[in-house]
Amino acid sequence: ALSSAASDVYKRQETIQYKEFFKVILMNRANKVLGVCHISEGGLNETSADIRIIMQAAILGNASAIILAHNHPSGNIQPSMQDDQVTKRVKEIAKLIGINLLDHLIITDETYYSYSENGRI
């Protein structure tokens, strides 16, 4: 599945689960990975996800689609209210400029949560 493959791409980028990292996976029209852009890193339980920086990465990377991904060092895969807000805003803005938000993944050492697989995208 696309979500599982994207989770693996993220995990290859980050191996240390001591603080949050937020990344955007840039995809072409055939859903092939163009690259992974580091957006931010934060503390133990939060990181900034500036929507302007996310969209800048997607545009400059010539992405047709994107997958948002960040980790939860606590091991809790449940999305926060902030995670929900970022997902909703990115989806709205990306749609306006013709970029498809395919998923938002919350990743832990053990597993991941996919907005797409849970019918929330």
Side-chain angles (χ1 to χ4, degrees), residues 29-94:
R29 289 178 98 52
N31 290 341
K32 301 284 188 218
V33 174
L34 297 170
V36 179
C37 186
H38 178 86
I39 300 299
S40 64
E41 60 185 78
L44 298 175
N45 60 1
E46 69 177 350
T47 187
S48 171
D50 190 320
I51 294 168
R52 293 167 297 183
I53 302 296
I54 294 167
M55 298 315 303
Q56 179 187 43
I59 291 166
L60 293 176
N62 293 319
S64 295
I66 57 174
I67 295 175
L68 305 178
H70 75 282
N71 64 318
H72 279 181
S74 67
N76 177 4
I77 63 166
Q78 291 308 309
S80 68
M81 190 172 5
Q82 183 182 19
D83 295 336
D84 291 345
Q85 290 170 347
V86 166
T87 305
K88 181 176 184 266
R89 292 289 292 140
V90 169
K91 182 177 181 178
E92 291 170 353
I93 293 166

